[in-house]
Amino acid sequence: MKKALLLTVIAVLTVMTLFILSRSLEGFDVVGKDSARAFDELIQKVPQLVYEDKETDSWSIIAPDGGARFSWRWEHTVADNDVALEIDAAPFMAAGLDASKLPKAIALRGGKLTLGSKIVPHGSAGRTKSTPLSAYECIVNLNKNAIGYHAALDHYGISIGDGFLFEWAKSIDTNDKDMVFVLNPEPFVNAGVAPDKINGWTFAKVTVDDENGRPVQVDKILKPFNLN
Amino acid sequence: MTVTIPIGGMHCAACSARVEKAIGKLNGVLSASVNIATEKATVAFDPAVIRLSAIKDTIVGVGFVPLDAAKETAGADKIRREREIKSLRAKFVTATVFGLPLLYIAMSPMIPWVTLPLPKALSMMRFPLTYGLVQLILTIPIVAVGYKFYTVGFKNLLMRSPNMDSLIAVGTSAAVLYSVYNLFRVAVWHDFKAAESFYFETAGVIIALILLGKTLEAISKGRTGEAIKKLMGLAPKTAVVVDNGEEREIPVDDVMPGDVVVVRPGAKIPVDGTVTEGQSSVDESMLTGESLPVDKKPGDAVYGATINANGLLRFRAEKVGADTALAHIIKLVEDAQGSKAPIAKLADIVSGYFVPIVCLIALVTAVAWFAAISAGIAAPTPGKSALEFSLTVFISVLVIACPCALGLATPTAIMVGTGKGAENGILIKGGEALETAHKIQTIVFDKTGTITEGKPEVTDIISVSGVDKEHLLMMTASAERGSEHPLGRAIVLGAQSRGHSLLSADKFTAITGMGIEAVVNNTAVLAGNRKLMDDRRVSLAELEPDSDKLMSEGKTPMYVAFDGKAAGIVAVADVLKKSSKNAIERLHKMGIEVAMITGDNKKTAAAIAKQVGIDRVLAEVLPQDKSAEVKKLQEGGRKVAMVGDGINDAPALAQADVGIAIGSGTDVAMESADIVLMRSDLSDVPTAINLSKRTISNIKQNLFWAFGYNVLGIPIAAGALHLFGGPLLNPVFAAAAMSLSSVSVLTNALRLKRFKS
């Protein structure tokens, strides 16, 4: 019995040690590391679509059709959102959007729908070297769980919260969806949007991993781009 | 020369088959039988051709350890088994402690209908390297505790004689190596989808489950041998001997033949001997099963391990150590437990070829699936590649097909069955006897001492005119003084009890199967059966009416002639055993024909047969013709058992398909018979047959399940259900099923322990 107890303690300690090590050792975060490489590949592929917004201390990448923008901050000492999506409201309006019915997290400003998320704990870091990649790496380092690997599409993605994502291909050369703006259809459907009638967007079922890593099929509104 | 060699390191039927094959091939080895349940080899060899050391070297050569038989005493065996169980349990606990979190981590993303909380740091897709590394690190201790599967399994594989360990070693190694390769893909090539193809938990859980099966198997094996342990535990450790007039307590092993041993009331008699002083009752139930204590007085034999009830006894030690009755019984039961029933042969043959065939099936099936999926002919399960699907099939087939259950099916049932028999005073000398006993169609009972008590008494004295009855008895008894025949002794005792002083006899001759002749007081006395009188042309006309009457009453008339003329009849009758009628009824209910064989005349024999309900009477059979009578019955196509009480029945006991010696427990009886009944109770005969039936039925059930399990399990593991749109068997479930099959066979064998006589 004593032996069993001792072995249990050893097993638990082993697992805990590995958790701690994995969290502290960068080398273990292969997804984080490789997502940065792929993100850099994306930025290098479309430098004309990437720009710095000094007002918000952030970088942005615009969809090739201009219909959406993903931005990520390099300054995290303030309370503002660290990542954000901005999308043209017009196609949604045309598909039946009643903006008054949108949740508070999604705002309609100047013909744009915006939403964002504070994914890095407030005040947890100061300014970082101001390049698009270093800003991204800073976010990954401060909140490893903010990013993920989407096995079904071979994409990396950064969560903007509540099912909204910005995704990019792990390998631009081989993937036919190199940059994807992913929206959760639920708030829009609740606000009167017919999700299959949004011009420039695709309504589809997508296999994603749930919070326990299990593959589940969910509805998404997508704007994918092949950059090759 | 026949030796029993305990062997260490055997894990399955394939191991025992290999050892048996290797020894059997040796020049000079006459026969070899290896029992996986007792882990012993029984080898008959010619010492002039081959040495024992060469046989042991051969065992080492095929990868096993011959143990020192001398050191393998009951205590040592028990300690070895306990150590094995302890070690297996520790390994199983270690494997479980690391295996459960491993299974949890690996399976939580796979179970769609239950949400199992898992730390984010172990998210399969976000932290695939950590997810894999944690599993690898949890797998390492499990593989470490199961290292023997690998050392033994791969060694055997390299020697081209794979066994159960080889299947586990190859199956789990494939799982671990493929997982490590996928971990490499994640870590170096950043191929994160490879995280979906970790099979660490498959290897870990398979090893844990097999260790569980082995632990339960070891515990169950220990329980199957409990009967022999009980017998061994009966012997006292010390004895009180008289040394130079003083009583001294010494270890029982130091008692020598000739020592005078003192046994106080309540104490166990340490060795076999003959009472020299004192009177007491002795409880011999542990040897004979007889519940009533037996009175002992000077001149009576006492046996080691029996209990002196109420008086102080002194006796002279005669048989010590391995020569005692208890040691003989233990040896007999051990030999029986180590022997193989013919029914085991099929299982042995199958087991010997099973593992290589399974390896082939696993390989062929995996390659076939890979080819079919790659060619688009078949589809894998969702999310699996052709390689992963094939690998799953490969591992499942290897793991599910371990022939442990097949190997255990027969010996465990025989161990429990013979052990249970020994507990009931029924010593079954081998698997063959056990198997044949259930097929018996006719049982031939010897009459005197078997159906009857074997203690005949004088009941009637008939004399011709002019001859005094008491004189007739005195003269006959005087002539019979030299006779060892029970009837002769009965007449001597009868005369003595009537107060006659017997005269000395000259020219005594025993005429086998007929009677005796001697000269008493210048009178030629002839005493015997009708054949003897006819042979000597003695007219019995005057005695016919009386002899007919006596015979119709089941009494044996002993005709007596003085100087060639009939003088009268001394009638002797034996008392029927209380159990005879009931036992014969039970045999009839079992559909067995019952015959009685006797040297008695037909009328007496028929009368006795009628009293107990016997179907067939073989009367006036000379002792030397008894075996011929048994043979005649066999020639009629019947399986025949002969029940007798020892020496004069020995040829018939040997001739019968099953020889059953009853009551005596003497060396001759024990050696000549296949089954020895320690009590003089005929009801043990149907009990023995019933036990045989139950044991064989148990073996058949075990073999059915063991064969059936493999016949069903292998195709399912090979993906037969998937062909028809069903699921593919997970290797973890294959391991669980494999372990359960062994445990179920053992549990079924242990049901025999509930057998009641």
Side-chain angles (χ1 to χ4, degrees), chain B residues 206-548:
Chain B
I206 284 172
I207 292 171
L209 282 171
I210 289 168
L211 285 170
L212 169 67
K214 291 242 163 215
T215 309
L216 294 175
E217 196 178 304
I219 293 168
S220 304
K221 264 191 193 173
R223 286 176 63 200
T224 59
E226 267 173 13
I228 204 97
K229 281 182 204 152
K230 271 188 199 168
L231 283 172
M232 286 170 164
L234 289 173
K237 302 281 178 286
T238 59
V240 178
V241 297
V242 179
D243 186 14
N244 290 326
E246 282 186 14
E247 289 181 10
R248 203 156 57 86
E249 188 167 353
I250 59 171
V252 73
D253 292 342
D254 293 349
V255 178
M256 301 296 289
D259 283 349
V260 173
V261 183
V262 180
V263 190
R264 295 194 168 76
K268 275 186 178 176
I269 292 169
V271 294
D272 296 1
T274 303
V275 178
T276 54
E277 263 181 70
Q279 287 194 335
S280 183
S281 296
V282 174
D283 176 3
E284 293 184 342
S285 59
M286 57 292 296
L287 293 188
T288 63
E290 183 63 56
S291 55
L292 289 175
V294 182
D295 291 337
K296 298 288 178 183
K297 58 183 185 305
D300 287 345
V302 286
Y303 301 99
T306 58
I307 299 169
N308 180 21
N310 47 21
L312 183 79
L313 284 177
R314 280 177 184 237
F315 74 93
R316 190 168 301 282
E318 285 165 355
K319 288 179 179 173
V320 299
D323 295 328
T324 62
L326 177 68
H328 277 288
I329 292 169
I330 289 169
K331 174 84 173 56
L332 202 144
V333 176
E334 271 190 332
D335 287 350
Q337 294 192 334
S339 72
K340 282 185 181 171
I343 199 170
K345 280 180 188 161
L346 177 65
D348 282 355
I349 293 167
V350 172
S351 300
Y353 292 100
F354 196 75
V355 175
I357 289 171
V358 164
C359 289
L360 198 67
I361 292 174
L363 203 63
V364 168
T365 320
V367 169
W369 272 113
F370 184 80
I373 293 168
S374 301
I377 300 167
T381 44
K384 275 198 195 296
S385 67
L387 179 65
E388 286 156 13
F389 185 89
S390 310
L391 184 77
T392 305
V393 168
F394 180 69
I395 297 169
S396 295
V397 172
L398 287 180
V399 171
I400 207 165
C402 281
C404 330
L406 210 53
L408 289 168
T410 313
T412 48
I414 287 180
M415 275 184 85
V416 182
T418 51
K420 195 69 200 172
E423 278 178 33
N424 286 286
I426 299 165
L427 304 181
I428 301 164
K429 289 173 75 176
E432 192 165 353
L434 190 70
E435 184 171 343
T436 314
H438 92 288
K439 296 177 187 163
I440 291 302
Q441 294 160 305
T442 300
I443 293 189
V444 182
F445 284 97
D446 170 51
K447 193 201 81 177
T448 308
T450 304
I451 291 175
T452 64
E453 291 286 0
K455 292 170 187 163
E457 291 171 1
V458 173
T459 55
D460 302 84
I461 304 164
I462 315 286
S463 61
V464 297
S465 57
V467 177
D468 177 65
K469 285 184 182 178
E470 293 305 315
H471 178 71
L472 176 76
L473 178 62
M474 186 274 291
M475 288 292 283
T476 313
S478 298
E480 291 278 10
R481 275 176 87 175
S483 171
E484 287 184 357
H485 195 278
L487 297 182
R489 287 205 299 272
I491 292 169
V492 172
L493 285 172
Q496 285 171 337
S497 68
R498 284 170 162 83
H500 291 295
S501 297
L502 302 186
L503 303 174
S504 61
D506 294 324
K507 297 179 184 172
F508 173 85
T509 309
I511 305 152
T512 309
M514 292 200 256
I516 57 110
E517 62 180 327
V519 176
V520 180
N521 203 15
N522 294 322
T523 303
V525 180
L526 194 64
N529 57 19
R530 177 176 283 275
K531 269 187 190 170
L532 180 65
M533 298 299 150
D534 291 347
D535 195 52
R536 300 299 170 91
R537 299 175 191 282
V538 177
S539 168
L540 298 174
E542 195 179 339
L543 296 168
E544 290 292 0
D546 290 314
S547 69
D548 284 351

Side-chain angles (χ1 to χ4, degrees), chain A residues 190-216:
Chain A
N190 291 342
V193 175
D196 54 344
K197 299 214 167 79
I198 310 165
N199 192 25
W201 293 80
T202 306
F203 179 64
K205 283 209 180 292
V206 180
T207 302
V208 296
D209 293 333
D210 71 1
E211 57 184 15
N212 288 300
R214 293 173 305 196
V216 287

Side-chain angles (χ1 to χ4, degrees), chain B residues 40 111 113 140 146 206 258 289 337 358 436 555 562 593 602 604 611 715:
Chain B
K40 285 176 182 167
I111 304 169
W113 58 90
I140 289 168
I206 284 172
Q337 294 192 334
V358 164
T436 314
K555 294 168 183 172
F562 292 160
E593 180 195 39
K602 285 179 183 165
T604 304
Q611 285 177 47

